[in-house]
Amino acid sequence: GQNIDQPTEMTATEGAIVQINCTYQTSGFNGLFWYQQHAGEAPTFLSYNVLDGLEEKGRFSSFLSRSKGYSYLLLKELQMKDSASYLCAVRDRVKAAGNKLTFGGGTRVLVKP
Amino acid sequence: NAGVTQTPKFQVLKTGQSMTLQCAQDMNHEYMSWYRQDPGMGLRLIHYSVGAGITDQGEVPNGYNVSRSTTEDFPLRLLSAAPSQTSVYFCASTPSGQAYEQYFGPGTRLTVT
């Protein structure tokens, strides 16, 4: 099975940087995803890590350490529109081809002026 | 492409009623899945399918049935609705393979009274 932990809520100021941590304990691991979800909307894909290290995509970066069961999502130059929930999800090893994901509870980020 | 579509957007059921939530995708994705999202619980996998004619249970399958007769459609059936099934339901699809993210439908908000 999978156990994924992330903080429930974080608050930051517009223009600042926020780091959202995610720790996982899994029986198998085949990649970690980060999704953004605005209130009342569907999740949208932000990043994917399968190897250790940092993946950068504009204002968003994601880091993975497989030996520590740890990832973080870094949001730089925060904008008001970044106020949303951020979901960490681990892809399990499955026998058949597929993309079976287990999600953490999500971190709600509130950006203040 | 319409992407992933879900109907209805909102539904109110009485305890004991049955209904089917519809999900369709026009991207020829092999993998489809159903999640439910409750406050503070993140997304939990109900059922998934790795191709037409193949389905399997996720984390919380009780009270739900699925079938996959075509690549495009993946309906979710509630057999006898219970208040505990009040939730937001998301359908998602993805091509098979490691690095592909899941594409989510807009969700169905279900209330069981």
Side-chain angles (χ1 to χ4, degrees), chain A residues 30 33 35 37 40-43 45 48 50 87 91 94 96-101 103-105, chain B residues 31 35 37 40-43 45 48 50 90 94 96-102 104-106 109:
Chain A
N30 202 9
F33 293 80
Y35 285 83
Q37 185 178 26
E41 298 182 7
F45 170 76
Y48 171 72
V50 66
L87 311 177
R91 176 187 157 117
V94 291
N99 201 7
K100 187 178 175 185
L101 296 182
F103 284 82
Chain B
Y31 187 88
Y35 296 89
Q37 186 172 34
M41 298 285 291
L43 289 154
L45 183 64
Y48 67 99
V50 298
F90 289 102
T94 185
S96 62
Q98 291 197 30
Y100 291 107
E101 73 271 21
Q102 297 201 7
F104 285 86
R109 193 171 295 271

Side-chain angles (χ1 to χ4, degrees), chain A residues 85-102:
Chain A
S85 287
Y86 293 85
L87 311 177
C88 172
V90 171
R91 176 187 157 117
D92 204 348
R93 289 195 182 276
V94 291
K95 294 178 184 177
N99 201 7
K100 187 178 175 185
L101 296 182
T102 301

